[in-house]
Amino acid sequence: MHNAAGTQILTLTGLRFDANLGILAHEKTAPQPIQVDAELNLGTQPLRPRDDDILHVLDYRKVRQIIIDECRADHVNLLESLIGKVAQRLMQLPGVVGVRVKIAKLEIFDDCEVAIRVETGQW
């Protein structure tokens, strides 16, 4: 049983913060709340890491900060541009073979949430 392995997926769900995003006049002057969900496919991993050391796994604090930093870097007109940027950046992390990202604008309509979801790499 020592070499038991499985596919490992790191998920961050419901990450909410303000970002500079959108084409409307009020969107260009003030940040607005978005919500980001991300899944990172880390491929086949041993069911138990070789030791209990954070240095040998992908630190989810780093993943969270990268998402926030990428979304806040500059004003982006399109959700499509932003999500592409985030997905590319997450794909560059060590050991990541696939990325799924969903970004929702939370205050566009009163009666629904608008979101885009992107999937890239291996799933």
Short mmCIF file of all heavy atoms in Angstrom, two decimals, residues 32-73:
data_model
loop_
_atom_site.label_atom_id
_atom_site.label_comp_id
_atom_site.label_asym_id
_atom_site.label_seq_id
_atom_site.Cartn_x
_atom_site.Cartn_y
_atom_site.Cartn_z
N GLN A 32 -15.12 46.46 -8.55
CA GLN A 32 -16.37 45.76 -8.26
C GLN A 32 -16.09 44.36 -7.75
O GLN A 32 -15.04 43.78 -8.03
CB GLN A 32 -17.24 45.70 -9.51
CG GLN A 32 -16.64 44.88 -10.65
CD GLN A 32 -17.56 44.79 -11.83
OE1 GLN A 32 -18.63 44.20 -11.74
NE2 GLN A 32 -17.16 45.39 -12.96
N PRO A 33 -17.03 43.81 -6.99
CA PRO A 33 -16.79 42.48 -6.42
C PRO A 33 -16.87 41.38 -7.46
O PRO A 33 -17.77 41.37 -8.29
CB PRO A 33 -17.91 42.34 -5.39
CG PRO A 33 -18.98 43.26 -5.83
CD PRO A 33 -18.31 44.38 -6.56
N ILE A 34 -15.89 40.50 -7.41
CA ILE A 34 -15.93 39.30 -8.24
C ILE A 34 -15.73 38.09 -7.33
O ILE A 34 -15.29 38.22 -6.17
CB ILE A 34 -14.85 39.29 -9.35
CG1 ILE A 34 -13.44 39.35 -8.76
CG2 ILE A 34 -15.08 40.42 -10.34
CD1 ILE A 34 -12.33 39.12 -9.80
N GLN A 35 -16.09 36.94 -7.85
CA GLN A 35 -15.84 35.69 -7.13
C GLN A 35 -15.08 34.75 -8.05
O GLN A 35 -15.45 34.58 -9.21
CB GLN A 35 -17.14 35.05 -6.68
CG GLN A 35 -16.92 33.72 -5.98
CD GLN A 35 -18.20 33.18 -5.36
OE1 GLN A 35 -18.85 33.86 -4.58
NE2 GLN A 35 -18.57 31.97 -5.73
N VAL A 36 -14.04 34.15 -7.52
CA VAL A 36 -13.20 33.25 -8.31
C VAL A 36 -13.24 31.85 -7.69
O VAL A 36 -13.08 31.69 -6.48
CB VAL A 36 -11.73 33.75 -8.36
CG1 VAL A 36 -10.88 32.83 -9.23
CG2 VAL A 36 -11.67 35.18 -8.87
N ASP A 37 -13.46 30.87 -8.55
CA ASP A 37 -13.32 29.46 -8.18
C ASP A 37 -12.22 28.89 -9.06
O ASP A 37 -12.21 29.15 -10.27
CB ASP A 37 -14.60 28.67 -8.42
CG ASP A 37 -15.77 29.19 -7.61
OD1 ASP A 37 -15.56 29.58 -6.45
OD2 ASP A 37 -16.90 29.22 -8.13
N ALA A 38 -11.32 28.14 -8.47
CA ALA A 38 -10.23 27.56 -9.26
C ALA A 38 -10.01 26.10 -8.86
O ALA A 38 -10.11 25.74 -7.69
CB ALA A 38 -8.94 28.36 -9.05
N GLU A 39 -9.72 25.30 -9.88
CA GLU A 39 -9.31 23.92 -9.65
C GLU A 39 -7.99 23.70 -10.37
O GLU A 39 -7.85 24.05 -11.54
CB GLU A 39 -10.34 22.93 -10.22
CG GLU A 39 -11.68 22.93 -9.55
CD GLU A 39 -12.63 21.97 -10.25
OE1 GLU A 39 -12.43 20.74 -10.15
OE2 GLU A 39 -13.55 22.45 -10.92
N LEU A 40 -7.02 23.14 -9.66
CA LEU A 40 -5.72 22.87 -10.24
C LEU A 40 -5.48 21.37 -10.21
O LEU A 40 -5.48 20.75 -9.14
CB LEU A 40 -4.61 23.57 -9.44
CG LEU A 40 -4.38 25.06 -9.71
CD1 LEU A 40 -5.61 25.87 -9.41
CD2 LEU A 40 -3.21 25.58 -8.90
N ASN A 41 -5.31 20.79 -11.39
CA ASN A 41 -5.03 19.37 -11.49
C ASN A 41 -3.53 19.14 -11.27
O ASN A 41 -2.71 19.61 -12.06
CB ASN A 41 -5.47 18.84 -12.85
CG ASN A 41 -5.26 17.34 -13.00
OD1 ASN A 41 -4.82 16.67 -12.07
ND2 ASN A 41 -5.59 16.82 -14.17
N LEU A 42 -3.20 18.45 -10.20
CA LEU A 42 -1.79 18.19 -9.88
C LEU A 42 -1.35 16.81 -10.36
O LEU A 42 -0.28 16.33 -10.01
CB LEU A 42 -1.58 18.33 -8.36
CG LEU A 42 -1.98 19.70 -7.80
CD1 LEU A 42 -1.85 19.74 -6.29
CD2 LEU A 42 -1.16 20.81 -8.44
N GLY A 43 -2.21 16.17 -11.14
CA GLY A 43 -1.86 14.88 -11.73
C GLY A 43 -1.80 13.77 -10.69
O GLY A 43 -2.38 13.87 -9.61
N THR A 44 -1.09 12.73 -11.03
CA THR A 44 -0.99 11.57 -10.15
C THR A 44 -0.01 11.85 -9.03
O THR A 44 1.14 12.22 -9.28
CB THR A 44 -0.55 10.33 -10.95
OG1 THR A 44 -1.49 10.13 -12.01
CG2 THR A 44 -0.51 9.11 -10.07
N GLN A 45 -0.48 11.70 -7.83
CA GLN A 45 0.35 11.92 -6.64
C GLN A 45 0.20 10.73 -5.70
O GLN A 45 -0.84 10.08 -5.68
CB GLN A 45 -0.13 13.18 -5.89
CG GLN A 45 -0.05 14.47 -6.68
CD GLN A 45 1.37 14.96 -6.87
OE1 GLN A 45 2.25 14.63 -6.09
NE2 GLN A 45 1.59 15.75 -7.90
N PRO A 46 1.24 10.46 -4.89
CA PRO A 46 1.06 9.43 -3.86
C PRO A 46 -0.06 9.84 -2.91
O PRO A 46 -0.22 11.02 -2.62
CB PRO A 46 2.41 9.40 -3.15
CG PRO A 46 3.15 10.62 -3.57
CD PRO A 46 2.55 11.09 -4.85
N LEU A 47 -0.84 8.88 -2.47
CA LEU A 47 -1.94 9.20 -1.55
C LEU A 47 -1.42 9.83 -0.27
O LEU A 47 -2.08 10.64 0.36
CB LEU A 47 -2.78 7.96 -1.23
CG LEU A 47 -3.63 7.43 -2.39
CD1 LEU A 47 -4.48 6.27 -1.92
CD2 LEU A 47 -4.51 8.52 -2.97
N ARG A 48 -0.20 9.45 0.11
CA ARG A 48 0.44 10.12 1.25
C ARG A 48 1.72 10.77 0.75
O ARG A 48 2.57 10.10 0.18
CB ARG A 48 0.74 9.11 2.35
CG ARG A 48 -0.53 8.47 2.90
CD ARG A 48 -0.24 7.48 3.98
NE ARG A 48 0.38 8.12 5.13
CZ ARG A 48 0.67 7.47 6.26
NH1 ARG A 48 0.40 6.17 6.37
NH2 ARG A 48 1.22 8.10 7.27
N PRO A 49 1.89 12.09 0.98
CA PRO A 49 3.13 12.74 0.54
C PRO A 49 4.34 12.07 1.19
O PRO A 49 4.22 11.46 2.24
CB PRO A 49 2.98 14.19 1.01
CG PRO A 49 1.68 14.30 1.70
CD PRO A 49 0.99 12.98 1.68
N ARG A 50 5.49 12.24 0.54
CA ARG A 50 6.68 11.52 1.03
C ARG A 50 7.07 11.98 2.43
O ARG A 50 7.72 11.27 3.17
CB ARG A 50 7.86 11.68 0.06
CG ARG A 50 8.39 13.10 -0.07
CD ARG A 50 9.64 13.11 -0.97
NE ARG A 50 10.31 14.39 -0.89
CZ ARG A 50 10.54 15.14 -1.96
NH1 ARG A 50 10.15 14.76 -3.14
NH2 ARG A 50 11.18 16.29 -1.82
N ASP A 51 6.69 13.21 2.77
CA ASP A 51 6.83 13.64 4.17
C ASP A 51 5.78 14.71 4.41
O ASP A 51 5.02 15.06 3.51
CB ASP A 51 8.25 14.16 4.48
CG ASP A 51 8.66 15.25 3.51
OD1 ASP A 51 7.79 16.04 3.11
OD2 ASP A 51 9.85 15.31 3.16
N ASP A 52 5.74 15.24 5.60
CA ASP A 52 4.67 16.16 5.98
C ASP A 52 5.13 17.61 5.82
O ASP A 52 4.79 18.46 6.63
CB ASP A 52 4.28 15.86 7.44
CG ASP A 52 2.83 16.19 7.72
OD1 ASP A 52 2.05 16.30 6.76
OD2 ASP A 52 2.48 16.35 8.90
N ASP A 53 5.91 17.90 4.76
CA ASP A 53 6.57 19.19 4.61
C ASP A 53 5.90 20.04 3.54
O ASP A 53 5.72 19.59 2.41
CB ASP A 53 8.05 18.95 4.24
CG ASP A 53 8.88 20.22 4.28
OD1 ASP A 53 8.33 21.32 4.11
OD2 ASP A 53 10.11 20.10 4.47
N ILE A 54 5.53 21.26 3.88
CA ILE A 54 4.85 22.18 2.95
C ILE A 54 5.68 22.44 1.70
O ILE A 54 5.15 22.71 0.62
CB ILE A 54 4.51 23.53 3.66
CG1 ILE A 54 3.69 24.46 2.75
CG2 ILE A 54 5.75 24.26 4.13
CD1 ILE A 54 2.30 24.02 2.44
N LEU A 55 7.00 22.31 1.79
CA LEU A 55 7.86 22.59 0.64
C LEU A 55 7.67 21.57 -0.48
O LEU A 55 8.08 21.81 -1.61
CB LEU A 55 9.33 22.61 1.08
CG LEU A 55 9.70 23.71 2.07
CD1 LEU A 55 11.15 23.57 2.52
CD2 LEU A 55 9.46 25.09 1.46
N HIS A 56 7.07 20.42 -0.16
CA HIS A 56 6.94 19.38 -1.16
C HIS A 56 5.53 19.28 -1.75
O HIS A 56 5.21 18.34 -2.46
CB HIS A 56 7.37 18.03 -0.57
CG HIS A 56 8.81 18.03 -0.15
ND1 HIS A 56 9.26 17.45 0.99
CD2 HIS A 56 9.90 18.61 -0.73
CE1 HIS A 56 10.57 17.65 1.10
NE2 HIS A 56 10.98 18.36 0.06
N VAL A 57 4.69 20.27 -1.42
CA VAL A 57 3.37 20.34 -2.05
C VAL A 57 3.17 21.77 -2.56
O VAL A 57 3.94 22.67 -2.23
CB VAL A 57 2.24 19.96 -1.06
CG1 VAL A 57 2.36 18.51 -0.62
CG2 VAL A 57 2.22 20.89 0.14
N LEU A 58 2.12 21.96 -3.36
CA LEU A 58 1.81 23.31 -3.84
C LEU A 58 1.07 24.05 -2.73
O LEU A 58 0.03 23.62 -2.27
CB LEU A 58 0.93 23.20 -5.09
CG LEU A 58 0.53 24.50 -5.78
CD1 LEU A 58 1.75 25.34 -6.15
CD2 LEU A 58 -0.29 24.21 -7.02
N ASP A 59 1.66 25.15 -2.29
CA ASP A 59 1.12 25.91 -1.16
C ASP A 59 -0.11 26.70 -1.61
O ASP A 59 -0.02 27.59 -2.46
CB ASP A 59 2.20 26.87 -0.64
CG ASP A 59 1.82 27.56 0.65
OD1 ASP A 59 0.61 27.62 0.97
OD2 ASP A 59 2.73 28.06 1.33
N TYR A 60 -1.27 26.38 -1.05
CA TYR A 60 -2.50 27.04 -1.52
C TYR A 60 -2.56 28.51 -1.15
O TYR A 60 -3.30 29.28 -1.75
CB TYR A 60 -3.76 26.31 -1.07
CG TYR A 60 -3.79 25.87 0.37
CD1 TYR A 60 -4.02 26.77 1.39
CD2 TYR A 60 -3.60 24.53 0.70
CE1 TYR A 60 -4.05 26.36 2.72
CE2 TYR A 60 -3.63 24.12 2.02
CZ TYR A 60 -3.86 25.04 3.03
OH TYR A 60 -3.89 24.63 4.33
N ARG A 61 -1.76 28.94 -0.17
CA ARG A 61 -1.69 30.38 0.13
C ARG A 61 -1.13 31.14 -1.07
O ARG A 61 -1.57 32.23 -1.42
CB ARG A 61 -0.79 30.64 1.35
CG ARG A 61 -1.37 30.09 2.64
CD ARG A 61 -0.38 30.17 3.76
NE ARG A 61 0.82 29.39 3.47
CZ ARG A 61 1.83 29.23 4.32
NH1 ARG A 61 1.80 29.80 5.52
NH2 ARG A 61 2.88 28.51 4.00
N LYS A 62 -0.14 30.51 -1.72
CA LYS A 62 0.48 31.11 -2.91
C LYS A 62 -0.52 31.17 -4.06
O LYS A 62 -0.61 32.17 -4.76
CB LYS A 62 1.69 30.26 -3.32
CG LYS A 62 2.49 30.85 -4.46
CD LYS A 62 3.51 29.87 -5.01
CE LYS A 62 4.70 29.69 -4.10
NZ LYS A 62 5.73 28.83 -4.74
N VAL A 63 -1.30 30.10 -4.23
CA VAL A 63 -2.30 30.05 -5.30
C VAL A 63 -3.33 31.17 -5.10
O VAL A 63 -3.65 31.91 -6.03
CB VAL A 63 -3.01 28.68 -5.32
CG1 VAL A 63 -4.14 28.67 -6.34
CG2 VAL A 63 -2.01 27.56 -5.61
N ARG A 64 -3.81 31.32 -3.88
CA ARG A 64 -4.79 32.37 -3.56
C ARG A 64 -4.23 33.76 -3.87
O ARG A 64 -4.90 34.58 -4.49
CB ARG A 64 -5.17 32.27 -2.08
CG ARG A 64 -6.08 33.38 -1.60
CD ARG A 64 -6.33 33.25 -0.09
NE ARG A 64 -6.98 34.45 0.41
CZ ARG A 64 -6.34 35.56 0.78
NH1 ARG A 64 -5.01 35.63 0.71
NH2 ARG A 64 -7.01 36.60 1.23
N GLN A 65 -2.98 34.00 -3.47
CA GLN A 65 -2.39 35.32 -3.67
C GLN A 65 -2.17 35.62 -5.15
O GLN A 65 -2.38 36.75 -5.60
CB GLN A 65 -1.07 35.42 -2.90
CG GLN A 65 -0.64 36.86 -2.66
CD GLN A 65 -1.71 37.70 -1.94
OE1 GLN A 65 -2.19 37.33 -0.88
NE2 GLN A 65 -2.09 38.82 -2.54
N ILE A 66 -1.78 34.61 -5.92
CA ILE A 66 -1.57 34.79 -7.36
C ILE A 66 -2.88 35.20 -8.03
O ILE A 66 -2.92 36.10 -8.86
CB ILE A 66 -1.01 33.49 -8.00
CG1 ILE A 66 0.47 33.36 -7.65
CG2 ILE A 66 -1.23 33.48 -9.51
CD1 ILE A 66 1.07 32.02 -8.01
N ILE A 67 -3.98 34.54 -7.66
CA ILE A 67 -5.28 34.86 -8.24
C ILE A 67 -5.64 36.32 -7.94
O ILE A 67 -6.02 37.09 -8.83
CB ILE A 67 -6.37 33.92 -7.71
CG1 ILE A 67 -6.13 32.49 -8.22
CG2 ILE A 67 -7.76 34.41 -8.12
CD1 ILE A 67 -6.99 31.44 -7.56
N ILE A 68 -5.50 36.72 -6.68
CA ILE A 68 -5.83 38.09 -6.29
C ILE A 68 -4.93 39.09 -7.02
O ILE A 68 -5.41 40.08 -7.58
CB ILE A 68 -5.71 38.26 -4.76
CG1 ILE A 68 -6.78 37.41 -4.06
CG2 ILE A 68 -5.85 39.73 -4.36
CD1 ILE A 68 -6.62 37.32 -2.54
N ASP A 69 -3.63 38.83 -7.04
CA ASP A 69 -2.68 39.75 -7.69
C ASP A 69 -2.97 39.90 -9.18
O ASP A 69 -2.93 41.01 -9.72
CB ASP A 69 -1.24 39.27 -7.48
CG ASP A 69 -0.79 39.40 -6.03
OD1 ASP A 69 -1.49 40.07 -5.24
OD2 ASP A 69 0.25 38.82 -5.69
N GLU A 70 -3.22 38.78 -9.85
CA GLU A 70 -3.49 38.84 -11.30
C GLU A 70 -4.76 39.63 -11.60
O GLU A 70 -4.83 40.39 -12.56
CB GLU A 70 -3.62 37.42 -11.88
CG GLU A 70 -2.31 36.67 -12.03
CD GLU A 70 -1.41 37.24 -13.12
OE1 GLU A 70 -1.91 37.76 -14.13
OE2 GLU A 70 -0.18 37.17 -12.96
N CYS A 71 -5.77 39.46 -10.77
CA CYS A 71 -7.05 40.13 -11.01
C CYS A 71 -6.99 41.61 -10.66
O CYS A 71 -7.81 42.39 -11.14
CB CYS A 71 -8.16 39.46 -10.21
SG CYS A 71 -8.61 37.83 -10.82
N ARG A 72 -6.05 41.99 -9.82
CA ARG A 72 -5.97 43.39 -9.40
C ARG A 72 -4.85 44.16 -10.10
O ARG A 72 -4.70 45.36 -9.88
CB ARG A 72 -5.72 43.45 -7.88
CG ARG A 72 -6.98 43.16 -7.08
CD ARG A 72 -6.71 43.38 -5.62
NE ARG A 72 -7.96 43.40 -4.86
CZ ARG A 72 -8.02 43.24 -3.55
NH1 ARG A 72 -6.90 43.06 -2.85
NH2 ARG A 72 -9.17 43.26 -2.92
N ALA A 73 -4.08 43.50 -10.95
CA ALA A 73 -2.89 44.11 -11.55
C ALA A 73 -3.21 45.39 -12.32
O ALA A 73 -2.66 46.44 -12.04
CB ALA A 73 -2.17 43.11 -12.45
#
